[in-house]
Structure formats: structure tokens, C-alpha cells
């Protein structure tokens, strides 16, 4: 064990184990997660570091691993979805699996959109993996749902739908598992009796069940990408492909071609809402991994000098702390927001299943906004962590390049982030409702008293100082008032409308304000949820260290967005000048606990797959060991020497 890291652990002021329990949701859950993590010792999962393999080899290794996972899950009798998820995230490490789409989109779509008869037919096939599925929605030319071109036209004479991609732009593009899957949920515009009824989901067989040869359908892999090398993102061109009427999910078309309207057309979009909700938790996980790597490495890396003494640990540089500790605070904040998002998703989707759709718009708005907010922040954060590791962060052995490449598409897929932030229509609507005197419920209820507070662009000097920067509840309150930026967005729309612009143009001309409002709303939610969590934590040592992190998270956010807080008159200039001073104090308070705080995330070394983030801190000898395994070192003299240089 590296002596620096041993010393760091001795300095901790709290019980690491107890904090792990809080993150997991209780000691029993930690125990079970650790039991499941023992799968890492299974020699059937021994594999080559994907960084040393070609794309095709990586895909093959991933398929082998996916198949192994299925067999092992059966062998160990793991069937609870949360446990399956835990098991898979351990085995996957920092990469995706080739059957990922089957689990996260195909199966959930079947579960939520099959009627009884369809469930009876498809669920046994899909859960036994005879049917391997993907989710084919996006097209070469469009992702916007109303713009999708693939059609499904009902033919009452044969009781079939005819699926067609009439143009190049209508070819389905991106769905994972182009080579792996034999079925797809295809999203297509439904036509019956000559009328378009919008986007609906259909089950389409793509490949022969025994030979895996494509049916008369063009299907394949779209080629190498920035990351996602384990995943065969695919293309799919359907040329008048016929499927039985029964393959339409939720069966909205009667045998005579009559269309039966669903309770809400948006139920078809349910799987996207599910993944967006999951991505909040994934952001927390990846932020936590990145911080673990960068902070452990910073504790064992010595460089340069502060005083004329031996080289200090780089974690002692104030600038290094300023890079990493706000991200550490973010990892904790997002972990609690992830828990909230999961609970909210299951609560509201439970109500939806019972026929109560009243909270569907809120679930959509919150999951879209938090997905965008947390993935954007994490995406930037991983890169800060990588840079903070200097040159060794650039090596794939650090895992940070892989974490970035695998995570960054979360900002794009499942709804491009700006587009998701623009789903703030809900916020503006809520604001208007509140202004009209309606009492809002839930997370939007803070808009109820906006009118009384009159938070607008005031000169700071004209307003009393509302905020004690050392008081977390005051900080939460100021974030709440800043979220009143929605008022500026609503006003911008109003002004545009007064200029006789159409509603659509008024909206587009206010889009920057809308995205800002959405961002402020999400930021408020994160600060509030983090602070709320503290009241549940009884252990005084843990409460203290998490309070310090929550304060850092809140103040750092204010420092980054100082213009908003000043403009709204929520803080004065002298208070604003106090914030960097307080942030520096908080960095000093966090410093002795930094390693313990990342240890509490409890990532096994094999899951982190990072030489820099090793628990024992023995970085240098293992960097050397890793480099020696590089395929270029397989022979002492590379064949290119004989071919070209000699
Ligand atoms: C430290 C430890 C922490 C531990 C925690 C660990 C947890 C880890 C957990 C799990 C790990 C698993 C992670 C999973 C990762 C998996 C990898 C996934 C691989 C990749 C998958 C990618 C798949 C895809 O990308 S599929 C394609 C996705 N496509 C999109 O998202 C398209 C985006 N576009 C849209 O959604 C729409 O076009 C739109 C919303 C932008 C517009 O919709 P529209 O066309 O209908 O138009 P309108 O604007 O007119 O909207 C009308 C109306 O409807 C409302 N609306 C829209 N959508 C919804 C909805 N979904 N639900 C409800 N309502 C909706 C909209 O707001 C409008 O409302 P009005 O009231 O204004 O009318
Ligand atoms: C790794 C990966 C996996 C994927 N897996 C799947 C899958 O399994 N199944 C599937 O169906 N799809 C999948 N996708 C596709 C993914 O869902 C889309 O890429 C995503 O929805 C974004 O759409 P787009 O690529 O068309 O971007 P565009 O919408 O073209 O975005 C380009 C730019 O235009 C801007 N823009 C677009 N519309 C607006 C607007 N209304 N207002 C303001 N700005 C706008 C965006 O902000 C962005 O800056 C995957 C994508 C990736 C990268």
C-alpha cells in the first residue's frame, strides 16, 4: 500500500463504511452489492483490456461477456431488476454491453406497451433471449418525433401493417445492436384509412431465428464512432415489410382499420422517459468514478514545490482542490438526485399504470431537464478530472479517456440536451398558471409565491441582503429565487408576441432564456435535494462532512453564475466577494477527508479499471506493467521496421 494513501485514510474524520451505507440505501444493500461484486473474481469474465483490441475483437469480447452474463444470472438466480442492474454495472466496468439496448429499451417497451396477449407471446421470448431486440426510432435525417418519416400503413385485406422507409433520410440510424438483434421495436407514423395518426411502436422481426441471416431487410452496423466500440449501432431500411396487425404495441387499430385513441399519445414515449431518469443516476456514478481516480492519484502524485521542502502531494495545491472538490461535491449531489429521480419515476409510472396520468407532464419535464443538467455537468467534469491528472490522465490506463468517450453521448442520445432543456414549456406553463392564481403542487410549488417576491432585475443596492452565505437554507432559498429566471423567459415570449410574431417564432427567439430558466430550475432542484438529504443523516461526523460538501456545491454554483444572482439582487457585491474566501475555507475543510470521501463510493479496482485510481495507490509500477502489455511490445522489433524502415 502506498504510504501517502494510508496516511490519507488515517486522517478521515468519519466512518467511511457508514457513508457507503447511506449511498447504497442501507447496510443490507451494501452487503448484497458486495456479494454481487464477487462475480469479478469469476475466471469466466477474465478478458483482455479492450484498449489493446481492434473494434471487431472488442465487439466479439462484449458479445461473449453479454452471453456469459445471461448464463451466470440464471446460475445465481438473480432476477430482481435492481440486482441485475448492479451485477451488470460491475461486469461492464467502464464500457457498454452489446445487449444493452435489449435490457434498457426493448424489454421496458414490451413491459409497458404490450397488452395481455402480446405480453404472453413476446415476454417469454424476450426474457429467454430467443428474441434479441433493439429500439429503432432515430432516422438518418431526423430525430424530432413528428419529423420521422418511416410509415406503417394498415392493410385491412391481409390484416397487416406495411412498414416502409421511403427515402434515404428515413433509414433508421443509430439503434444499438444492428448485428446482434433479431427483432426491433420500430417507431413509425401510423396510417390507416388514409389518415396519419402519428408515431406508434411496432415489433418487427429483422433476422432469421436460427441462422441470424437478415430477412429481406437492409440491416447492419454504422461503423466506428467516438466511443461505444462494444456496441454495433445500426442502420435499418424497411422496404414494404409486412408484419401482422398483432405486432402493433397497444393495438390501436381494429381489424376494420378503425383507429382507437390511447389515453395519452405520449405513452408511446415512455421508454425514453425511463432512460432519461436512469441517466441521472448514471451521471452520479460516472462523476463518482472520475473523482475517485483523480483524487486518489492526486494523493500519491508529488510534483514541484510549495515551500523548499520535499515535493508536496499535488492534492495540496489549492488549484488542484479547486478543480476536484467541487466535482466531488457534485458526485454526492447527483447521487442523491439520482435516488430522487428513480423514486419519482417509479412513483409516477405506478400511478400511470393505474390510469392516473396527471403527473406525466411533470415527470417528462423533470426527467428531461435533470437528464440534460446532470449529463452536461458530468461530461465537463470527467474532462477536468482527466486534465487534473496531467500526462498520465491522457493514457488509456487512467480510464478517464474511456469514461469520457463512453459517457459523452449521453448529452446527445435519448434527447439532445438543448432540446431536452427546451422542454421547459412546462415551466413557463406552470409560471403562467401560478401567476393566474392557481396553486401548484410538487416541485413547481415554489412558483406559487413568486409574484409576492417580485424577483426581477433590480440594482443590487436597492435590495436588502437576503442571504447568509454560511447558511445552507439561505442558499437554497436564493437558488429558488434565481429559478424565477423563468419569468424573464416568459416575458421574452410575451414581448415577441407583442411584436406580432407567431407563437413558434416567439418561442425560438426566446430559446436562450428558456434554456437558462431550465438550467436554473434544475440547479435549484439539485441544491434543494442535496440539502434535504442532510436532514436524514443522523451520524454527526458524516452530517458535518456532507454539509461542507453541500455548501461548496451551492457556493461554487453561485460563483459560476454570479451574474444571475447579482442581477436578481439576491446577493450584494460585498457578499459576492466573500464567496471565494468561503470557498477556499471549505476546500481546506474537505482536504483531510478527500480520499475517504471517494473511498465511500466503494468501487472495486476491477470496476474502476484505472491504474491511477487503484485503491492501494501503487501507480507507477502498475503503469509500467500496463504499458508492457501493449500489443506493440509483443515483439522486440516491430514488423514495420523490416517492411519500411530497414
Ligand atoms: C454513486 C452511485 C450511484 C449509483 C446509481 C447508479 C444508477 C445507474 C443506473 C443505471 C445505469 C443504466 C444506464 C443506462 C444507459 C444505457 C445506455 C443506453 C444506450 C443508448 C440509448 C439511446 C437510445 C436513444 O437515443 S432512442 C431515441 C431517443 N430520441 C429522442 O429522445 C428524441 C427526442 N425528441 C423528443 O422526445 C421529441 O421530439 C420532443 C420532446 C423534443 C418533441 O416532442 P413532439 O414531437 O411530440 O412535439 P411537441 O413539442 O409538440 O410535444 C407535444 C407535447 O408533448 C409533451 N411531451 C413530449 N414528450 C413527452 C414525453 N416523453 N412524455 C410526456 N409528454 C411529452 C410536450 O412537452 C408537449 O406538451 P404540451 O403540453 O406543450 O403540448
Ligand atoms: C451512442 C448513441 C446511441 C444511440 N442509440 C440510439 C438507439 O438505440 N435508438 C435510436 O432510435 N436512436 C439512438 N441514438 C440517436 C439519438 O437518440 C440522437 O442522436 C439524438 O436524439 C439527437 O438527435 P440528432 O442526432 O438528430 O441531433 P440533432 O437533433 O440534429 O441535433 C443537432 C443540433 O441541432 C440542435 N437542435 C435540434 N433541434 C433543435 C430545436 N428544436 N431547438 C434548438 N436546437 C435544436 C441541437 O441542439 C444540436 O445542437 C443514439 C445516438 C448515439 C450518439
Amino acid at each position: 500500500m502506498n504510504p501517502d494513501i494510508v496516511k490519507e485514510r488515517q486522517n478521515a474524520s468519519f466512518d467511511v463504511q457508514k457513508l457507503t451505507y447511506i449511498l447504497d440505501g442501507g447496510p443490507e444493500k451494501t452487503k448484497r452489492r458486495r456479494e454481487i461484486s464477487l462475480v469479478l473474481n469469476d475466471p469466466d469474465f477474465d478478458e483482455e483490456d479492450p484498449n489493446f483490441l481492434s473494434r471487431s475483437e472488442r465487439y466479439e469480447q462484449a458479445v461473449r461477456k453479454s452471453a456469459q452474463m445471461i448464463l451466470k444470472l440464471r446460475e445465481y438466480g438473480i432476477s430482481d431488476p435492481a440486482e441485475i442492474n448492479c451485477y451488470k454495472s460491475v461486469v461492464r466496468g467502464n464500457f457498454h454491453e452489446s445487449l444493452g439496448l435489449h435490457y434498457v429499451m426493448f424489454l421496458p417497451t414490451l413491459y409497458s406497451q404490450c397488452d395481455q396477449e402480446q405480453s404472453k407471446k413476446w415476454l417469454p421470448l424476450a426474457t429467454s433471449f430467443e428474441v434479441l431486440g433493439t429500439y429503432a426510432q432515430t432516422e438518418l435525417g431526423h430525430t424530432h418525433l413528428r419529423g420521422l418519416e418511416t410509415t406503417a400503413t394498415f392493410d385491412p385485406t391481409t390484416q397487416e401493417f406495411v412498414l416502409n422507409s421511403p427515402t434515404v433520410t428515413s433509414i433508421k440510424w443509430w439503434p444499438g445492436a444492428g448485428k446482434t438483434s433479431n427483432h426491433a421495436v420500430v417507431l413509425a407514423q401510423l396510417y390507416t384509412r388514409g389518415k396519419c395518426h402519428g408515431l406508434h411502436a411496432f415489433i418487427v422481426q429483422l433476422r432469421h431465428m436460427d441462422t441470424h441471416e437478415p430477412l429481406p431487410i437492409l440491416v447492419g452496423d454504422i461503423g466506428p464512432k467516438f466511443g461505444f466500440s462494444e456496441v454495433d449501432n445500426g442502420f435499418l431500411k424497411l422496404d414494404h415489410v409486412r408484419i401482422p396487425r398483432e405486432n402493433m404495441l397497444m393495438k390501436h387499430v381494429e381489424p376494420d382499420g378503425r383507429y382507437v385513441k390511447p389515453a395519452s399519445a405520449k405513452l408511446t414515449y415512455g421508454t425514453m422517459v425511463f432512460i432519461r431518469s436512469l441517466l441521472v443516476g448514471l451521471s452520479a456514478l460516472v462523476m463518482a468514478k472520475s473523482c475517485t481516480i483523480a483524487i486518489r492519484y492526486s494523493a500519491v502524485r508529488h510534483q514541484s514545490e510549495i515551500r523548499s521542502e520535499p515535493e508536496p502531494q499535488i492534492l495540496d495545491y489549492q488549484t488542484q482542490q479547486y478543480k476536484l472538490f467541487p466535482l466531488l461535491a457534485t458526485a454526492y449531489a447527483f447521487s442523491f438526485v439520482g435516488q430522487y429521480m428513480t423514486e419519482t419515476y417509479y412513483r409516477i409510472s405506478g400511478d400511470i399504470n393505474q390510469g392516473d396520468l396527471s403527473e406525466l407532464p411533470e415527470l417528462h419535464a423533470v426527467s428531461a431537464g435533470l437528464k440534460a443538467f446532470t449529463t452536461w455537468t458530468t461530461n465537463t467534469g470527467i474532462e477536468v478530472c482527466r486534465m487534473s491528472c496531467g500526462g498520465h490522465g491522457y493514457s488509456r490506463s487512467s480510464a478517464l479517456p474511456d469514461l469520457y468517450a463512453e459517457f459523452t453521448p449521453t448529452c446527445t442520445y435519448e434527447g439532445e440536451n438543448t432540446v431536452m432543456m427546451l422542454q421547459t414549456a412546462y415551466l413557463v406553463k406552470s409560471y403562467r398558471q401560478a401567476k393566474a392564481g392557481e396553486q401548484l403542487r410538487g416541485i413547481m410549488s415554489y412558483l406559487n409565491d413568486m409574484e409576492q417576491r417580485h424577483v426581477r432585475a433590480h440594482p443590487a443596492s436597492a435590495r436588502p441582503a437576503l442571504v447568509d452565505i454560511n447558511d445552507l437554507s439561505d442558499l437554497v432559498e436564493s437558488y429558488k429565487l434565481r429559478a424565477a429566471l423563468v419569468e424573464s423567459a416568459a416575458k421574452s415570449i410575451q414581448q415577441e408576441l407583442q411584436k406580432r410574431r407567431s407563437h413558434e417564432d416567439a418561442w425560438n427567439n426566446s430559446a436562450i432564456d428558456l434554456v437558462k430558466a431550465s438550467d436554473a430550475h434544475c440547479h435549484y432542484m439539485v441544491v434543494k435535494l442535496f440539502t434535504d438529504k442532510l436532514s436524514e443523516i443522523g451520524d454527526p461526523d458524516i452530517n458535518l462532512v456532507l454539509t461542507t460538501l453541500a455548501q461548496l456545491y451551492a457556493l461554487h454554483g453561485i460563483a459560476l453564475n454570479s451574474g444571475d444572482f447579482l442581477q436578481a439582487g439576491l446577493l450584494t457585491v460585498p457578499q459576492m466577494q466573500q464567496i471565494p474566501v468561503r470557498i477556499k475555507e471549505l476546500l481546506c475543510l474537505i482536504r483531510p477527508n478527500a480520499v475517504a470521501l471517494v473511498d465511500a463510493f466503494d468501487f472495486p479496482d476491477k470496476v474502476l479499471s484505472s491504474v491511477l485510481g487503484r485503491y492501494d495507490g501503487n501507480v507507477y509500477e502498475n503503469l509500467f506493467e500496463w504499458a508492457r502489455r501493449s500489443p506493440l511490445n509483443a515483439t522486440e522489433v516491430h514488423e514495420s521496421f523490416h517492411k519500411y524502415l530497414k
Side-chain angles (χ1 to χ4, degrees):
M1 192 76 75
N2 177 298
D4 283 320
I5 210 141
V6 172
K7 208 165 78 217
E8 292 295 331
R9 293 188 173 119
Q10 287 162 352
N11 286 341
S13 68
F14 66 95
D15 185 335
V16 172
Q17 180 89 335
K18 284 190 184 157
L19 182 49
T20 303
Y21 295 158
I22 292 169
L23 288 167
D24 279 326
E28 279 310 310
K29 293 210 171 131
T30 301
K31 183 168 165 262
R32 185 63 185 140
R33 180 177 54 72
R34 287 183 180 156
E35 276 167 13
I36 290 174
S37 301
L38 292 176
V39 65
L40 291 167
N41 303 328
D42 187 335
D44 285 342
F45 286 115
D46 282 351
E47 60 172 6
E48 186 52 277
D49 184 332
N51 285 303
F52 295 145
L53 301 178
S54 69
R55 163 105 201 281
S56 186
E57 288 166 335
R58 285 177 76 148
Y59 170 67
E60 182 174 337
Q61 180 163 280
V63 174
R64 183 182 75 83
K65 206 153 114 176
S66 284
Q68 279 293 343
M69 277 198 265
I70 293 169
L71 298 176
K72 299 281 171 178
L73 281 167
R74 277 186 197 153
E75 186 184 328
Y76 304 141
I78 300 177
S79 57
D80 174 69
E83 293 201 341
I84 292 179
N85 190 28
C86 166
Y87 170 89
K88 284 167 153 284
S89 79
V90 168
V91 177
R92 266 196 319 254
N94 297 330
F95 299 99
H96 290 276
E97 62 168 311
S98 46
L99 288 187
L101 253 279
H102 179 83
Y103 286 99
V104 298
M105 295 204 80
F106 185 74
L107 269 174
T109 308
L110 296 188
Y111 277 120
S112 62
Q113 296 190 37
C114 280
D115 70 7
Q116 257 184 356
E117 222 173 297
Q118 287 169 329
S119 298
K120 240 165 126 188
K121 170 169 181 186
W122 293 106
L123 286 178
L125 290 169
T127 50
S128 65
F129 305 97
E130 268 176 80
V131 161
L132 295 174
T134 182
Y135 184 87
Q137 182 172 293
T138 311
E139 297 173 358
L140 249 178
H142 297 98
T143 198
H144 182 67
L145 303 180
R146 272 172 292 139
L148 296 180
E149 295 177 72
T150 302
T151 54
T153 308
F154 185 59
D155 178 352
T157 55
T158 59
Q159 293 291 301
E160 288 170 320
F161 290 103
V162 183
L163 277 105
N164 199 26
S165 327
T167 57
V168 175
T169 45
S170 68
I171 296 171
K172 293 289 177 192
W173 202 263
W174 279 115
K179 302 299 280 186
T180 320
S181 54
N182 53 24
H183 281 70
V185 166
V186 173
L187 278 289
Q189 307 289 357
L190 167 70
Y191 281 84
T192 172
R193 295 182 169 184
K195 203 170 156 212
C196 180
H197 297 279
L199 213 57
H200 287 78
F202 302 85
I203 301 178
V204 181
Q205 184 174 346
L206 308 177
R207 292 172 181 273
H208 193 279
M209 294 302 281
D210 294 327
T211 63
H212 207 60
E213 288 292 334
L215 299 180
I217 282 173
L218 277 174
V219 59
D221 170 73
I222 64 169
K225 299 149 299 223
F226 192 91
F228 260 62
S229 299
E230 278 63 27
V231 183
D232 46 335
N233 290 94
F235 62 77
L236 170 64
K237 182 163 170 38
L238 301 160
D239 185 4
H240 296 94
V241 172
R242 286 181 167 265
I243 58 165
R245 186 178 71 88
E246 289 70 34
N247 283 22
M248 176 189 207
L249 289 176
M250 298 203 283
K251 292 199 194 141
H252 297 294
V253 177
E254 295 291 308
D256 61 0
R258 235 176 340 114
Y259 178 68
V260 184
K261 258 190 170 179
S264 161
K266 302 305 162 201
L267 291 176
T268 311
Y269 303 170
T271 310
M272 288 186 277
V273 175
F274 168 62
I275 303 285
R276 287 171 195 151
S277 305
L278 278 185
L279 289 174
V280 177
L282 186 70
S283 299
L285 184 82
V286 174
M287 193 76 256
K289 277 188 181 179
S290 305
C291 287
T292 304
I293 294 166
I295 288 177
R296 283 188 185 154
Y297 175 66
S298 299
V300 300
R301 176 78 168 172
H302 290 253
Q303 189 74 267
S304 204
E305 55 184 35
I306 298 176
R307 304 166 211 96
S308 45
E309 284 170 3
E311 292 178 315
Q313 292 160 283
I314 58 173
L315 198 55
D316 284 332
Y317 288 106
Q318 190 181 59
T319 45
Q320 189 77 353
Q321 295 170 10
Y322 189 62
K323 286 175 208 174
L324 296 178
F325 295 171
L327 294 176
L328 177 61
T330 306
Y332 273 91
F334 287 2
S335 298
F336 302 134
V337 178
Q339 288 172 1
Y340 162 85
M341 193 64 250
T342 308
E343 284 158 20
T344 305
Y345 174 81
Y346 285 110
R347 179 180 61 76
I348 300 182
S349 57
D351 292 346
I352 292 171
N353 290 339
Q354 300 300 315
D356 173 5
L357 304 183
S358 58
E359 288 194 79
L360 176 63
E362 178 160 338
L363 178 62
H364 163 57
V366 168
S367 58
L370 284 180
K371 176 268 188 192
F373 185 84
T374 55
T375 58
W376 259 335
T377 309
T378 302
N379 188 54
T380 318
I382 304 166
E383 183 58 359
V384 172
C385 288
R386 186 187 70 74
M387 294 278 224
S388 76
C389 295
H392 294 323
Y394 191 67
S395 165
R396 292 272 178 102
S397 67
S398 74
L400 290 163
D402 287 328
L403 281 171
Y404 186 81
E406 299 305 306
F407 186 81
T408 191
T410 59
C411 299
T412 306
Y413 64 59
E414 222 53 86
E416 199 279 330
N417 276 357
T418 305
V419 176
M420 289 299 97
M421 282 292 193
L422 282 170
Q423 286 296 302
T424 44
Y426 186 74
L427 267 182
V428 173
K429 242 193 222 169
S430 302
Y431 168 76
R432 286 185 183 141
Q433 285 166 346
K435 214 167 144 71
E438 241 179 82
Q439 280 295 302
L440 304 181
R441 288 185 307 138
I443 197 78
M444 301 294 175
S445 57
Y446 71 90
L447 290 173
N448 289 334
D449 53 358
M450 277 309 158
E451 228 1 63
Q452 288 93 299
R453 299 207 184 236
H454 294 296
V455 177
R456 295 201 179 100
H458 276 288
S461 55
R463 289 186 57 79
L466 284 174
V467 178
D468 171 358
I469 63 162
N470 294 310
D471 184 329
L472 250 181
S473 55
D474 265 16
L475 296 179
V476 174
E477 188 65 13
S478 65
Y479 269 92
K480 173 166 139 183
L481 293 172
R482 173 199 175 222
L485 275 175
V486 66
E487 190 174 42
S488 315
K491 278 204 171 130
S492 166
I493 294 174
Q494 201 52 41
Q495 281 162 3
E496 290 292 323
L497 288 172
Q498 278 160 5
K499 290 185 207 157
R500 296 183 173 281
R501 302 219 205 279
S502 67
H503 180 75
E504 291 75 13
D505 285 339
W507 183 266
N508 189 37
N509 291 347
S510 309
I512 297 172
D513 310 84
L514 283 162
V515 171
K516 268 194 90 169
S518 188
D519 183 78
H521 172 73
C522 294
H523 213 156
Y524 160 62
M525 282 189 74
V526 176
V527 174
K528 177 163 168 42
L529 290 166
F530 195 174
T531 308
D532 287 352
K533 185 74 192 181
L534 298 174
S535 63
E536 293 171 23
I537 296 169
D539 183 297
D541 298 331
I542 293 180
N543 196 303
L544 185 64
V545 73
L546 289 187
T547 302
T548 313
L549 281 179
Q551 283 175 340
L552 179 64
Y553 181 79
L555 289 176
H556 188 256
I558 294 178
L560 291 184
N561 299 283
S562 53
D564 290 351
F565 289 87
L566 282 171
Q567 247 187 11
L570 297 167
L571 285 153
T572 61
V573 172
Q575 277 178 317
M576 222 31 130
Q577 285 163 343
Q578 275 306 302
I579 288 180
V581 179
R582 181 65 187 142
I583 286 179
K584 285 191 228 173
E585 288 167 4
L586 292 170
L587 296 179
C588 293
L589 289 174
I590 292 165
R591 169 66 186 87
N593 280 318
V595 168
L597 280 164
V598 296
D599 284 350
F601 292 129
D602 202 26
F603 293 116
D605 275 350
K606 273 197 181 164
V607 169
L608 273 186
S609 306
S610 168
V611 176
L612 303 190
R614 292 170 63 93
Y615 185 81
D616 65 10
N618 292 331
V619 165
Y620 296 123
E621 48 276 57
N622 285 291
L623 268 173
F624 188 47
E625 177 63 29
W626 186 85
R628 295 197 59 174
R629 283 177 23 227
S630 164
L632 285 190
N633 296 327
T635 55
E636 289 301 333
V637 178
H638 194 264
E639 58 184 339
S640 61
F641 173 81
H642 300 291
K643 278 188 184 159
Y644 307 115
L645 295 180
K646 194 170 170 190

